[in-house]
Amino acid sequence: MSEKNNDQLSEKEQQELLEKYDAESKTRNLKGKLAQVIFLGLIAFSVFQLYTGIFGQLTAYIQRTVHLGFALSLIFLLFPAARGMKKTKIPWYDYALMLLSILVCAYWPVYYDTIVQQFGGISVLQMFVGGLAILLVLEAARRAVGLPITIIALLFLGYALLGPHIPGMFAHRGLSLEQLIQSMFFTTEGILGTPLQVSSTYIFLFLLFGAFLVQTGVGNYFNDLAISIAGKRVGGPAKVAIFSSALNGTISGSSVANTVTTGSYTIPMMKKLGYRKNFAGAVEAAASTGGQIMPPIMGAAAFLMIEFAGESYWNIAKAAVIPAILYFAGIWIMTHLEAKRTGLTGLPDDEIPSKMSVLKKIHLLLPILAIVYFLFIGMSVERAAIYGILSTIIVSLFRKDTRITPAKFIVALEQGARTALGVAAATACAGIIVGVVTKTGLGLKLGNSLVSIAGTIASSPEVQLMLTLIFTMITSIILGMGSPTTANYIITSTIALPAIVALNGELEVAIPLLAAHMFVFYFGIVADITPPVALAAFAASGISGGEPIRTGANAARLAIAAFIIPYMFVLNPTLLMIDSTVLEIIFALFTAILGMIAIGAGMIGYWYRKIKWFERILAIVTGLLLIYPEGYSDIIGFVLFAIQLVIQFMSRDKTMRRGKTQAS
């Protein structure tokens, strides 16, 4: 890899930036015996998950409570209660919270037979244990995930208790405190529900797989591979950022973490070449956020989607491919046109790694390909993750500098567990939200209300459909602000998705359930680059020195595909490869990429030359017609695209001839 740029952030600066914008990185910096105890606790967490992944899961309640017990106790030891507190010591009350977490979560394994055999309500002791469990989960989520999800969970708990006193269509019979606690901790409809089940099985093992990949040096290899492929092209550093972020996104579970780790290298490169600082930060933020929609891992949300959408992992990953291609193609096209507009070139030869050095480490990609193959042949998700970890260890032995030594093996176990803490807290807290929705029917009421509002405004079923989708988009973006990917998807699929499902009955349309899930997932993700709470863009501006809001606005413009494509695949699922032939899919992809070229030109204001405002509008309209996979729109789009292309070539030639005449 090329020498480090002097403007590149140090590891300490990266950590400070992560702690500022990523709740999951705000951990204590402990030393001595205490640090060793926590280290061993993290190792034990990973060993437990590996053991149950290899030899079979425990009974559902026990598997989930042990997983939760590890997560809660370690969170209270690692995450301080407030930002300004000392990070070198643990206050007495956090030891107390750790102990309470262990006792509460141990209650299920110890009294399992008694609990499953009892009928009716719960005892006073169980009321206390369950109530304490809810409070511990809320506090752990606040520390490790952030305030937004905690506030939403508290509002939902209040809604469950105050149902009869709420006016209008949102009123319900209400739950007593005993009923609420029982459903939240003594059934699989609350904290111990589907989200935590997925965290305690699929997600943890894939996070562990990512941690082992990191120990091989795959992150640096992604950067080198990206530079060797895209570095010399027009506007090279921006394309390196896109390529590298897409690759890192396959193993990263956080758009902010992806932005900081990749951006600390790519943003200074872009600025050095001549990109404006707000644009440079926006490129990295948009590309890093796209990593969450990039198969095969998709920020771990794909594994939740297995349970929520009732689809196989392979169908979900397959459906995500074309939208992900279009997302990154859109950013690539716009950065290319921006570079052409401003006359930016590629990197010099001395900053490009040799092809031989890149080829020597190409084996590091094999574990990712192996995971895809294992899932393709129908292997269970847990087994695929285990074999992925095993293949990573084997592949690492091919070269000395990529080898996972015993020391690196231990570090991978520790880092994997550390990464999983925030996910476990988020899924447990999200279980509260899901549980309340299940008990009160709130999701259906919210969905029907959005459809009803759209119907009141709309003059036709088509307009009602579009308005409902727009309302669902806005809801998903708001709910997704400040939340990590897993919590983000759980919240949006629980609260916003029912509106799209309700459309099937209201308007008698046939929107596939997977398309509805992908719709809310996409808009929850782009909250990370949508002002005013655009955490990935804010983190990028911390590296570029740009203005956070302007960086976010630029990132949202670059990621325009993420605001368009979901509408297209809901209206016509061909882009998700649902009920489509190979020829239909190829044609839809081809026309959609042409559409992204036209939209990119309209957004940047440059094609083969600078284009005027009315040409920009026409280019965007042309792009929308081409992206929508339907015969008539494609024909009109093709004609408009061809006309504009001819005009661009002719006017470019005139401009070039005029320039030569003036020069002579």
Side-chain angles (χ1 to χ4, degrees):
M1 193 161 128
S2 56
E3 290 184 14
K4 175 183 168 180
N5 189 306
N6 290 331
D7 295 328
Q8 186 179 339
L9 268 65
S10 65
E11 288 187 12
K12 182 180 178 182
E13 290 170 326
Q14 289 182 42
Q15 184 59 33
E16 289 173 354
L17 197 59
L18 275 172
E19 290 178 7
K20 185 176 181 181
Y21 295 109
D22 184 17
E24 295 179 28
S25 300
K26 298 172 184 176
T27 54
R28 292 186 171 107
N29 183 22
L30 301 168
K31 300 186 184 302
K33 291 183 179 179
L34 198 54
Q36 292 174 4
V37 169
I38 294 173
F39 183 82
L40 291 174
L42 291 166
I43 298 296
F45 194 7
S46 286
V47 169
F48 165 75
Q49 294 292 158
L50 274 175
Y51 178 84
T52 55
I54 294 169
F55 298 105
Q57 307 295 331
L58 305 178
T59 304
Y61 285 112
I62 297 176
Q63 176 77 23
R64 297 173 201 183
T65 49
V66 172
H67 176 82
L68 183 63
F70 268 116
L72 292 181
S73 57
L74 288 165
I75 284 170
F76 289 124
L77 292 179
L78 276 170
F79 290 82
R83 184 187 293 272
M85 298 184 67
K86 285 186 178 181
K87 294 187 176 183
T88 54
K89 61 179 294 185
I90 301 175
W92 66 268
Y93 52 81
D94 279 346
Y95 286 114
L97 291 173
M98 175 206 69
L99 183 60
L100 286 173
S101 299
I102 294 171
L103 292 173
V104 164
C105 292
Y107 187 85
W108 256 107
V110 172
Y111 295 100
Y112 176 77
D113 291 336
T114 303
I115 299 170
V116 295
Q117 290 173 15
Q118 71 184 30
F119 295 96
I122 54 177
S123 66
V124 175
L125 176 60
Q126 289 171 345
M127 278 273 290
F128 176 76
V129 170
L132 200 53
I134 294 171
L135 294 175
L136 290 169
V137 165
L138 290 170
E139 174 59 11
R142 185 190 69 82
R143 294 190 187 193
V145 186
L147 205 52
I149 190 173
T150 312
I151 292 173
I152 293 172
L154 283 168
L155 289 173
F156 272 63
L157 287 171
Y159 175 76
L161 292 170
L162 301 173
H165 307 290
I166 296 172
M169 65 177 292
F170 291 103
H172 63 93
R173 292 176 58 188
L175 299 174
S176 68
L177 185 61
E178 180 184 347
Q179 289 172 325
L180 182 64
I181 291 174
Q182 183 176 13
S183 65
M184 287 299 111
F185 194 64
F186 293 97
T187 71
T188 53
E189 293 180 346
I191 291 170
L192 305 181
T194 298
L196 190 67
Q197 176 251 321
V198 177
S199 174
S200 67
T201 52
Y202 313 150
I203 294 178
F204 192 103
L205 293 175
F206 268 86
L207 292 175
L208 203 55
F209 166 66
F212 274 92
L213 269 179
V214 168
Q215 292 304 309
T216 66
V218 75
N220 287 333
Y221 178 68
F222 283 159
N223 286 339
D224 284 351
L225 181 62
I227 293 171
S228 65
I229 291 173
K232 289 184 69 67
R233 299 178 183 275
V234 173
K239 292 174 180 175
V240 169
I242 297 165
F243 201 98
S244 180
S245 296
L247 290 171
N248 275 297
T250 62
I251 59 171
S252 169
S254 165
S255 53
V256 174
N258 199 2
T259 298
V260 173
T261 52
T262 309
S264 66
Y265 182 74
T266 59
I267 291 174
M269 268 201 308
M270 283 187 268
K271 289 174 62 182
K272 183 180 176 182
L273 186 68
Y275 277 103
R276 293 170 287 116
K277 54 189 177 183
N278 290 322
F279 190 85
V283 171
E284 182 55 56
S288 291
T289 299
Q292 307 310 292
I293 60 173
M294 184 74 177
I297 296 180
M298 297 167 62
F303 308 115
L304 288 161
M305 214 175 285
I306 293 171
E307 303 295 334
F308 281 40
E311 290 281 355
S312 69
Y313 177 85
W314 183 250
N315 283 342
I316 293 166
K318 183 180 70 173
V321 168
I322 291 179
I325 290 172
L326 294 177
Y327 180 92
F328 285 104
I331 303 173
W332 184 287
I333 289 162
M334 280 190 265
T335 53
H336 175 81
L337 294 174
E338 173 71 10
K340 294 286 285 185
R341 186 180 71 84
T342 53
L344 300 179
T345 58
L347 292 170
D349 289 339
D350 61 350
E351 293 188 26
I352 306 293
S354 68
K355 290 182 179 179
M356 188 55 67
S357 67
V358 173
L359 288 173
K360 282 180 179 177
K361 293 186 179 180
I362 200 167
H363 62 282
L364 294 179
L365 299 177
L366 292 176
I368 298 174
L369 297 176
I371 283 280
V372 174
Y373 172 74
F374 295 147
L375 293 167
F376 174 72
I377 63 174
M379 188 178 289
S380 71
V381 178
E382 297 101 320
R383 192 61 55 185
I386 294 293
Y387 284 159
I389 293 169
L390 184 60
S391 65
T392 303
I393 296 169
I394 294 170
V395 163
S396 76
L397 302 176
F398 292 0
R399 283 178 57 86
K400 186 177 180 180
D401 56 345
T402 65
R403 191 171 300 157
I404 295 180
T405 60
K408 286 184 176 181
F409 183 91
I410 297 298
V411 171
L413 293 178
E414 186 260 346
Q415 289 297 317
R418 189 181 285 264
T419 306
L421 295 179
V423 176
T427 50
C429 190
I432 294 174
I433 299 168
V434 175
V436 171
V437 169
T438 303
K439 282 289 182 182
T440 62
L442 178 60
L444 186 60
K445 291 174 183 177
L446 283 169
N448 287 333
S449 67
L450 288 179
V451 174
S452 177
I453 293 169
T456 303
I457 300 170
S459 56
S460 67
E462 292 77 11
V463 176
Q464 184 180 5
L465 170 62
M466 290 305 298
L467 283 175
T468 304
L469 291 177
I470 291 169
F471 293 157
T472 306
M473 173 192 74
I474 294 168
T475 304
S476 298
I477 291 174
I478 293 170
L479 291 171
M481 289 179 175
S483 296
T485 305
T486 46
N488 192 324
Y489 168 66
I490 295 167
I491 294 169
T492 55
S493 63
T494 303
I495 300 173
L497 180 134
I500 302 178
V501 175
L503 283 171
N504 286 336
E506 179 78 14
L507 301 180
E508 296 183 357
V509 294
I511 300 171
L513 185 59
L514 181 56
H517 277 272
M518 293 291 285
F519 185 90
V520 298
F521 173 56
Y522 258 64
F523 285 116
I525 292 299
V526 298
D528 278 345
I529 51 171
T530 306
V533 187
L535 293 183
F538 286 11
S541 68
I543 302 171
S544 68
E547 300 171 36
I549 296 297
R550 289 186 66 184
T551 300
N554 276 314
R557 179 165 63 105
L558 287 170
I560 189 67
F563 293 90
I564 297 172
I565 301 300
Y567 286 91
M568 300 306 178
F569 62 58
V570 164
L571 297 172
N572 190 327
T574 301
L575 292 176
L576 297 181
M577 301 192 226
I578 296 175
D579 298 330
S580 305
T581 65
V582 174
L583 285 177
E584 286 174 337
I585 292 166
I586 292 172
F587 186 74
L589 178 59
F590 173 69
T591 56
I593 289 176
L594 289 182
M596 288 312 306
I597 292 171
I599 289 173
M603 298 297 289
I604 296 296
Y606 186 93
W607 203 330
Y608 286 97
R609 59 163 174 80
K610 289 183 180 179
I611 56 178
K612 298 176 182 178
W613 66 268
F614 60 88
E615 292 178 301
R616 295 176 72 170
I617 293 172
L618 181 60
I620 291 171
V621 171
T622 301
L624 292 173
L625 288 168
L626 284 166
I627 290 174
Y628 183 57
E630 192 270 333
Y632 290 115
S633 67
D634 286 337
I635 292 170
I636 298 169
F638 266 130
V639 172
L640 291 175
F641 189 90
I643 292 170
Q644 290 173 86
L645 203 60
V646 170
I647 292 172
Q648 286 286 317
F649 271 116
M650 291 174 65
S651 57
R652 184 191 67 163
D653 290 341
K654 285 181 181 179
T655 304
M656 290 174 65
R657 284 197 298 270
R658 192 182 302 119
K660 288 179 181 178
T661 303
Q662 290 173 351
S664 60

